[in-house]
Amino acid sequence: MYLPDFDYYAPDSLAETCEGLEHFGAKAKVLSGGTDIIAKMKSGLLNPEVLISLKKLEDLKKIEYVSGKGVVIGALSTHNDLVNSKILNDKYLSVSEAAHNMASNQIRNIGTVGGNLCNAVPSADLPPILIALGATIKLVGTKGERVMLLEDLFTGPMKTVIAENEILTEIVIPDQPSTGSNYIKFGLRRSGALAVVGIAVAVTVNGGTFTEAKIAIGAAAPTPIRARETEKFLQGKTISDDLLAEAGVIASGESKPISDIRGSAEYRRDLIRVLTRRALHKAINEGHV
Amino acid sequence: MSKDYAVIGKNVPKIDGREKATGAAKYAGDLKFPNMLFGKLLTSPHAHAKILSIDTSEAEKLPGVKAVITHKDVPALKYGISPARWDENIFCIDKVRFIGDKVAAVACIDEETCYKALKLIKVEYEVLPAVLDALLAMDEGAPQVHDEYPRNINTEIHQNFGDLDKALAEAYHVRNDYFVGQRTYQSPIEPHSAVSIWKDNKLTIYSSTQSPHYFQYYIAREFGLKMGDVRIIKPFVGGGFGGKLEPTGLEFAGAVLSKLTGRPVRTFYDRHEMFAHNRGRHKVYMELTTGVDKEGKILGVHANFVSDGGAYTSLGVATSYYAGGLLTLTYEFENYKFDMIRVYTNLPACGAQRGHGAPQPKYAFESHLDNIAKDLGLDPLEIRLRNARQPNTVTINDFGINSCELTACLEKAADISGWREKKGNLPKGRGIGIATGSFVSGAGYPIYRNDLPQSAAMIKVHEDGTAATLYTGAVDIGQGSDTALCQMAAEAMGYRYENMKIIAADTETTPHDFGAYSSRQTLMSGSACKQAGEEIKKQILDIASTIMSLPPDDLDCRLGIIFSKSRPTAKTITFEEAARRFFVLRGPLLGRGVYHVPRLGGTFKGAAVATSPAYSFCAQISEVQIDEETGEVDVCEVWDVHDCGQVINPMQLHGQVHGALYMGVGEAIWEEVLFDDQGKILNPNLGGYMLPTALDMPIVHSELVESFEPAGPWGVKEVGEGATNPTMGCFNNAIYDAMGVRIDSLPLTYEKVWCAMKEKREGKTESNTEV
Ligand SMILES: Cc1cc2nc3c(=O)[nH]c(=O)nc-3n(C[C@H](O)[C@H](O)[C@H](O)COP(=O)(O)OP(=O)(O)OC[C@H]3O[C@@H](n4cnc5c(N)ncnc54)[C@H](O)[C@@H]3O)c2cc1C
């Protein structure tokens, strides 16, 4: 295994970055933390002639609260930035916890949230919790920028709507009435394991009934998915153990997992049933954890 | 260890601790030589294919490429490590037998050029149907891996002791169970590397090896060199666990590349290549039938196994004999039949891995024994106590057991774990399991037939007596033998550990030793070091007697002080003074030691394998917590109680238990090398191959029982591998206790536990049958 030759650019500005991407077209790839792309290049899965690094785009390394907008997370924030952000710890500890349960400390120090989203593998840990919290993303290209819901980013395994000349610059978790959120990753060991399934929920509970519930599931389909039937089922209902158990059954039915070396489809479906119930329970009782 | 000893039995600092902790230690892959080239191997992308042609011309033209070699450039002599089955070539000649089989190699000015050159070698293959399933490999018409081995049968064993049929016929209860193991990989932290230097008529190889001796022997044989013209040097080694016991393409190809270019060549595997080369644990299919009396006393056992050996023999002949041979150790029974077939498949070859051959059969037998206990309404501890081997006995397959404190191990494990309070009283989802293990303290016979002693050692005392250097062929691969052997030498000399130096595992400067495998070095190399130390002491006391004008018999030396035993007030002298005088008057002060194993074992076919001068014993108890919905297994706590004789270095000993348990826990719950339907490894990396992390490890309690082994120096015996043997069965029994489900294949993954619980809920029958 060795890294094939490539040309390397590290532009100083967003505009130059996008121009560079446009110029090289399909030959170029964005390099962020490199924890995914470098491994793929070494094993021959990807062979870009040019890597354009984002590392000089200091503006994309931030996590801040902008009132009226929400929590703004720059695409270059590392997983450990999410883990250690006071803003996230206070408002959405569930996001920090999701980041904390990823990979290993070494990877968390260089892997970025932008890379995790743009890489678009179904088992990625950050999409479900960010989708459940209604996050939006900003894509900037040579022809301007666009903002969309994160859940609309993914079109298939390792496929997104991002154009060749675009990069993802920020993620925004909007201000919201939700009262609790939570991500449960089911991995096959306690560190350095990819999700067999990952369940994120964000609930708005009022006096024992669901005003709203959002459920996003990873490793359950070609892209991270929303469990919309389950969400609909829960809306307006009074919370009870039976209700949460039934929600698990519906979510399981909505999923379309595959069998791979980490687990069979049948196992994954049952895990979704169990973990959806547990995640809801936790979000209801413990807030954003 | 008795308090009378000055150096052994103590936690001295590891002799190489500082170098390793500071990063100063150099491993084979760190070594640099002037003009050194880099070498890489080209391997087969097909599990089974004919080689139609190899064209190296493009690769040769690439700037920076200094040599490209194929089978045409190397001896065609087949090699292997099991003499009865030499079945490998340095490079494949007419066909490749697994994905990763060796086809060609390059030597280039840097690593990068190697990869480019490999891509330019054009190999034309005709793909052949492959056999990837051991159980289908023996079928008529199955693809043949080696023409010389019909029906792909590599090794076939049929051993019969006592009268099994009669025992089963007379038994109160007979039970039959079937279990399946899995292929695992040793995963040493240090990848294999070698630097080969073939200059004039001498070949020197620095290699990450567990046995310079076997490397020297097989490499000399392959190239028709005298053993004396082949020098193997072991630098620091980062773990082997059985996977670095035999020379690989790295040494064979590296040597030829060096000869052709006249330059040192470094060859090495990356993690993927390590997995592809493999030689990990065999996957064994295990049927067990056991008859017991009313009290649960074992009357007879039939072990009927098939194992998947992969494409070559490696150490698999021994592995196969070990698989059944070692089953007679922990429980006493008089009737035993062992049938075993090791088959070839188009997968990477399997070899020796910590616990050589024993852990999977132990998993099967310990699970099987718990099933029997349940059938009889017996406590699992009780059935083990009733059958536990006793000291000074001989197994039905002729292994002589001296010390054996298995009963004490079981009792102590039960005590410290709270077995009797916990068993039957734990909440649902929590369970406790028990299993036993035993292992050789060194194989009684070398791997290829020869009459060399097992081990030899020399000690040279510095002319002013301020240091003594131990020369030993013993191989420290991280387990700490350099430290333990220096302790033993210093004790025997009456010297100080702090003044010991060691030169080890270099075939040119150190005396012969077979190396680090079969947990042999503390007992065997230790015996030689002890003898060498005693020879020094004898000479030093002799010269001291002339200086002190006291009879030598009245003198002793301890921690470098020579004193009169009968006159405590007599003036003492130092070891240094005496050693210096010795050198002045008599020349170099040298001590020599040698260790031969006495003749061991019976006369039946295969009787030599698993003989040993001494056997360790242990009992393990483990506690698990199962998530009843997801099947997740939390390995909470393990209690290991060992009978390993006397202890030279307690810290290193417990380190070995922790390490062995780490591997056992991994193989129990997580680890498995997975293949796709083309024979390609799906998880050849540390992301996909689920080694447990520190967070996954249980709390480990490692304890000992008092024991003294007459065959070992100062009463020692093995510990390094024994603690791997009970672990998989122990966890399976704990899971059974927690959930009432029996997992009949390894590893005991969360999904298998989930699936078994689901089947139980749905009322499907258990997969294990009762006869
Ligand atoms: C040992 C190991 C363990 C891992 N464990 C986990 C885990 O537990 N959970 C998990 O989810 N992931 C895991 N990963 C995967 C990986 O670390 C993460 O997905 C990480 O977040 C990727 O970020 P990066 O910055 O390294 O991405 P990079 O490798 O730099 O990029 C990934 C892809 O996204 C593109 N890209 C990156 N940033 C942008 C951007 N701003 N705009 C447009 N395109 C962009 C790149 O072109 C590339 O195609 C693991 C990886 C390793 C090596």
Side-chain angles (χ1 to χ4, degrees):
Chain A
M1 293 229 304
Y2 83 115
L3 197 56
D5 293 343
F6 56 88
D7 288 335
Y8 174 81
Y9 297 89
D12 296 320
S13 73
L14 203 51
E16 264 182 275
T17 306
C18 296
E19 277 159 29
L21 285 169
E22 171 133 327
H23 176 77
F24 291 109
K27 285 191 233 162
K29 276 280 190 186
V30 172
L31 175 70
S32 187
T35 60
D36 265 311
I37 196 166
I38 298 292
K40 277 190 195 139
M41 288 166 68
K42 274 191 165 182
S43 56
L45 293 173
L46 267 186
N47 217 341
E49 289 171 31
V50 178
L51 284 184
I52 299 187
S53 169
L54 305 183
K55 76 172 186 195
K56 291 194 181 158
L57 307 183
E58 289 295 329
D59 286 356
L60 305 190
K61 293 176 196 164
K62 63 175 176 201
I63 300 176
E64 59 188 24
Y65 180 71
V66 178
S67 84
K69 194 173 174 191
V71 179
V72 179
I73 304 171
L76 283 190
S77 307
T78 65
H79 305 317
N80 271 343
D81 290 338
L82 303 191
V83 173
N84 298 321
S85 153
K86 174 129 185 20
I87 294 167
L88 283 174
N89 288 183
D90 289 347
K91 287 184 162 298
Y92 306 107
L93 183 60
S94 50
V95 175
S96 301
E97 283 292 312
H100 188 220
N101 285 316
M102 288 172 71
S104 58
N105 205 34
Q106 294 90 328
I107 300 285
R108 291 195 294 270
N109 271 331
I110 47 169
T112 64
V113 52
N116 193 253
L117 303 183
C118 298
N119 202 44
V121 296
S123 64
D125 283 315
L126 295 178
I129 186 66
L130 292 171
I131 290 172
L133 290 168
T136 60
I137 51 168
K138 190 197 277 184
L139 301 178
V140 177
T142 45
K143 295 180 186 67
E145 58 181 57
R146 47 184 179 146
V147 172
M148 63 172 78
L149 281 173
L150 170 61
E151 61 189 83
D152 295 332
L153 172 69
F154 308 102
T155 55
M158 293 180 260
K159 290 203 185 84
T160 66
V161 300
I162 303 175
E164 259 168 22
N165 64 30
E166 275 181 325
I167 66 163
L168 185 152
T169 56
E170 66 178 34
I171 300 106
V172 178
I173 305 174
D175 287 338
Q176 53 193 291
S178 69
T179 54
S181 63
N182 174 244
Y183 175 68
I184 297 182
K185 167 187 188 157
F186 191 82
L188 296 181
R189 60 182 173 192
R190 292 196 176 136
S191 176
L194 298 180
V196 180
V197 295
I199 313 276
V201 302
V203 299
T204 313
V205 175
N206 193 344
T209 55
F210 278 114
T211 311
E212 192 184 28
K214 282 192 187 155
I215 302 171
I217 311 180
T223 65
I225 54 165
R226 283 275 294 277
R228 291 187 192 277
E229 293 297 318
T230 319
E231 295 176 0
K232 240 182 270 164
F233 165 78
L234 289 172
Q235 185 148 17
K237 296 251 170 61
T238 305
I239 294 164
S240 71
D241 287 349
D242 285 349
L243 184 82
L244 301 191
E246 207 173 324
V249 174
I250 299 170
S252 167
E254 283 188 80
S255 64
K256 296 175 216 59
I258 55 159
S259 296
D260 65 13
I261 61 168
R262 286 188 286 281
S264 70
E266 198 192 353
Y267 185 42
R268 285 195 158 100
R269 266 195 296 272
D270 203 46
L271 288 174
I272 291 167
R273 175 183 70 78
V274 172
L275 300 178
T276 301
R277 189 195 75 223
R278 290 185 189 175
L280 285 167
H281 195 268
K282 217 170 163 194
I284 292 162
N285 293 306
E286 296 174 41
H288 293 283
V289 289
Chain B
M1 183 67 75
S2 145
K3 290 192 181 55
D4 295 345
Y5 298 118
V7 188
I8 57 173
K10 306 219 168 351
N11 288 331
V12 301
K14 254 189 142 181
I15 202 157
D16 52 8
R18 179 181 292 266
E19 262 175 293
K20 283 184 169 169
T22 57
K26 293 281 176 266
Y27 296 78
D30 296 324
L31 302 179
K32 290 188 181 70
F33 292 83
N35 266 330
M36 186 175 80
L37 297 173
F38 293 75
K40 282 302 272 186
L41 271 59
L42 180 73
T43 58
S44 162
H46 305 294
H48 199 192
K50 259 195 201 143
I51 298 174
L52 300 179
S53 67
I54 306 176
D55 178 359
T56 58
S57 55
E58 288 301 312
E60 282 158 26
K61 280 184 221 150
L62 185 73
V65 175
K66 297 295 173 192
V68 184
I69 55 174
T70 68
H71 66 88
K72 295 199 187 88
D73 308 290
V74 301
L77 183 68
K78 288 201 167 160
Y79 71 90
I81 182 107
S82 303
R85 310 273 190 285
W86 284 324
D87 56 6
E88 286 188 68
N89 281 108
I90 298 180
F91 295 118
C92 298
I93 297 173
D94 41 20
K95 69 172 187 171
V96 290
R97 295 181 173 84
F98 72 97
I99 295 179
D101 216 352
K102 308 180 294 294
V103 176
V106 297
C108 308
I109 51 162
D110 56 23
E111 185 178 349
E112 199 178 338
T113 308
C114 290
Y115 298 110
K116 292 181 176 160
L118 291 180
K119 277 198 180 151
L120 295 175
I121 300 175
K122 302 267 170 309
V123 187
E124 218 185 321
Y125 292 104
E126 177 191 325
V127 176
L128 301 170
V131 54
L132 304 173
D133 181 336
L135 297 182
L136 302 179
M138 285 173 285
D139 289 354
E140 284 304 329
Q144 282 284 296
V145 182
H146 294 268
D147 292 341
E148 303 83 348
Y149 294 90
R151 293 177 55 226
N152 292 313
I153 296 176
N154 167 265
T155 303
E156 191 163 355
I157 304 169
H158 303 288
Q159 296 179 338
N160 208 337
F161 307 98
D163 187 343
L164 181 72
D165 291 342
K166 182 158 168 283
L168 295 185
E170 289 172 359
Y172 166 74
H173 177 61
V174 175
R175 189 173 168 107
N176 172 266
D177 285 308
Y178 186 72
F179 299 92
V180 184
Q182 89 275 40
R183 177 193 290 250
T184 56
Y185 180 60
Q186 293 96 347
S187 309
I189 190 118
E190 182 217 6
H192 307 53
S193 283
V195 180
S196 306
I197 307 168
W198 196 325
K199 216 171 151 205
D200 304 325
N201 288 319
K202 185 174 166 194
L203 173 59
T204 303
I205 304 182
Y206 297 80
S207 176
S208 47
T209 171
Q210 291 179 236
S211 172
H213 174 81
Y214 290 124
F215 277 47
Q216 182 191 28
Y217 173 75
Y218 281 106
I219 289 167
R221 177 186 166 273
E222 187 68 13
F223 295 119
L225 293 168
K226 292 193 286 271
M227 272 179 82
D229 288 335
V230 176
R231 178 181 187 183
I232 308 293
I233 304 167
K234 176 210 71 101
F236 284 96
V237 169
F241 313 109
K244 294 176 179 170
L245 196 48
E246 52 192 306
T248 70
L250 298 183
E251 289 81 19
F252 289 124
V256 175
L257 289 169
S258 174
K259 187 177 190 189
L260 287 176
T261 59
R263 294 164 70 163
V265 178
R266 182 165 103 205
T267 46
F268 49 99
Y269 288 148
D270 64 23
R271 190 61 61 179
H272 286 234
E273 291 163 338
M274 291 166 76
F275 271 93
H277 169 71
N278 215 266
R279 322 279 151 154
R281 201 180 301 290
H282 292 68
K283 173 177 188 167
V284 193
Y285 301 81
M286 298 164 288
E287 184 188 9
L288 287 168
T289 310
T290 297
V292 291
D293 72 11
K294 258 199 168 92
E295 273 68 51
K297 182 85 197 69
I298 300 169
L299 302 176
V301 175
H302 181 201
N304 186 22
F305 298 167
V306 173
S307 81
D308 179 350
Y312 295 104
T313 302
S314 180
L315 277 151
V317 179
T319 321
S320 304
Y321 279 100
Y322 270 121
L326 292 168
L327 266 185
T328 60
L329 290 173
T330 56
Y331 306 116
E332 294 184 359
F333 47 85
E334 295 306 316
N335 303 287
Y336 181 49
K337 194 159 174 283
F338 169 45
D339 295 300
M340 166 102 202
I341 297 180
R342 180 184 191 268
V343 299
Y344 282 119
T345 58
N346 291 114
L347 295 174
C350 295
Q353 182 168 333
R354 199 175 200 159
H356 201 179
Q360 288 182 17
K362 246 332 202 177
Y363 147 78
F365 197 83
E366 294 292 327
S367 304
H368 177 62
L369 193 60
D370 260 31
N371 286 347
I372 293 169
K374 178 158 182 287
D375 295 344
L376 298 180
L378 277 178
D379 181 279
L381 169 65
E382 189 54 39
I383 199 167
R384 286 170 175 80
L385 284 169
R386 286 182 191 180
N387 289 288
R389 170 146 319 271
Q390 299 303 312
N392 304 312
T393 50
V394 178
T395 69
I396 184 69
N397 49 352
D398 283 342
F399 303 145
I401 310 293
N402 309 318
S403 61
C404 171
E405 296 301 330
L406 183 56
T407 301
C409 290
L410 283 162
E411 290 290 4
K412 186 163 181 185
D415 279 352
I416 60 174
S417 66
W419 173 274
R420 290 188 174 88
E421 301 79 62
K422 285 176 179 167
K423 182 69 189 166
N425 298 322
L426 292 171
K428 185 130 188 272
R430 202 158 181 102
I432 189 161
I434 187 166
T436 62
S438 174
F439 203 65
V440 299
S441 309
Y445 294 83
I447 293 174
Y448 71 95
R449 187 170 296 188
N450 67 71
D451 59 1
L452 291 171
Q454 284 280 347
S455 184
M458 301 187 306
I459 297 169
K460 186 202 83 175
V461 178
H462 195 260
E463 43 272 29
D464 70 353
T466 56
T469 307
L470 171 64
Y471 294 80
T472 166
V475 186
D476 194 331
I477 56 174
Q479 83 282 43
S481 59
D482 282 356
T483 301
L485 295 176
C486 281
Q487 281 182 272
M488 292 165 98
E491 181 71 46
M493 292 164 68
Y495 200 48
R496 284 178 301 267
Y497 169 77
E498 294 71 23
N499 297 47
M500 292 301 300
K501 318 283 172 204
I502 184 164
I503 292 182
D506 170 349
T507 56
E508 198 155 295
T509 57
T510 66
H512 160 79
D513 189 292
F514 285 119
Y517 66 98
S518 75
S519 295
R520 55 185 291 291
Q521 295 188 151
T522 307
L523 190 149
M524 296 188 174
S525 314
S527 293
C529 292
K530 177 170 186 268
Q531 205 186 342
E534 286 164 353
E535 205 176 289
I536 296 278
K537 189 179 197 176
K538 188 165 175 297
Q539 298 173 79
I540 206 94
L541 295 184
D542 190 58
I543 198 98
S545 95
T546 65
I547 304 171
M548 298 166 81
S549 304
L550 287 167
D553 288 353
D554 182 40
L555 297 180
D556 201 356
C557 182
R558 188 180 161 92
L559 291 172
I561 304 294
I562 300 166
F563 58 93
S564 158
K565 288 189 276 191
S566 65
R567 302 175 186 77
T569 52
K571 190 172 168 330
T572 61
I573 63 166
T574 63
F575 185 98
E576 283 82 347
E577 284 173 73
R580 188 170 196 291
R581 178 61 68 84
F582 187 100
F583 192 84
V584 169
L585 295 178
R586 301 184 190 173
L589 175 51
L590 303 172
R592 299 178 315 152
V594 63
Y595 175 74
H596 281 279
V597 183
R599 251 207 80 75
L600 297 168
T603 50
F604 55 92
K605 184 162 188 255
V609 184
T611 56
S612 179
Y615 297 85
S616 71
F617 291 88
C618 77
Q620 260 173 31
I621 289 178
S622 60
E623 196 169 329
V624 298
Q625 176 75 44
I626 309 294
D627 184 320
E628 293 178 42
E629 290 183 300
T630 65
E632 186 172 346
V633 181
D634 181 354
V635 291
C636 312
E637 208 157 343
V638 177
W639 295 266
D640 179 282
V641 181
H642 240 82
D643 158 14
C644 50
Q646 296 288 298
V647 180
I648 301 300
N649 184 317
M651 196 158 50
Q652 290 198 161
L653 176 127
H654 293 299
Q656 283 298 302
V657 171
H658 280 246
L661 261 167
Y662 170 80
M663 287 184 83
V665 171
E667 292 186 56
I669 314 286
W670 289 283
E671 295 177 41
E672 182 168 19
V673 180
L674 299 164
F675 295 91
D676 71 9
D677 60 2
Q678 303 297 308
K680 184 167 174 238
I681 302 180
L682 288 165
N683 54 347
N685 52 62
L686 300 184
Y689 185 77
M690 292 277 118
L691 293 164
T693 68
L695 297 179
D696 299 298
M697 273 297 278
I699 298 167
V700 174
H701 307 270
S702 170
E703 299 268 349
L704 302 172
V705 292
E706 188 52 35
S707 164
F708 186 93
E709 171 53 51
W714 293 290
V716 306
K717 49 185 183 172
E718 93 92 36
V719 71
E721 298 181 75
T724 307
N725 290 342
T727 312
M728 300 158 216
C730 192
F731 277 112
N732 202 24
N733 290 340
I735 291 169
Y736 183 80
D737 186 54
M739 300 309 308
V741 297
R742 173 68 68 202
I743 314 300
D744 49 20
S745 69
L746 290 169
L748 314 165
T749 62
Y750 306 166
E751 179 164 0
K752 283 185 196 164
V753 175
W754 166 83
C755 194
M757 293 190 300
K758 180 161 163 280
E759 281 176 9
K760 190 178 177 210
R761 271 196 307 275
E762 291 166 1
K764 291 202 187 127
T765 48
E766 270 190 59
S767 47
N768 286 313
T769 53
E770 217 176 299
V771 177

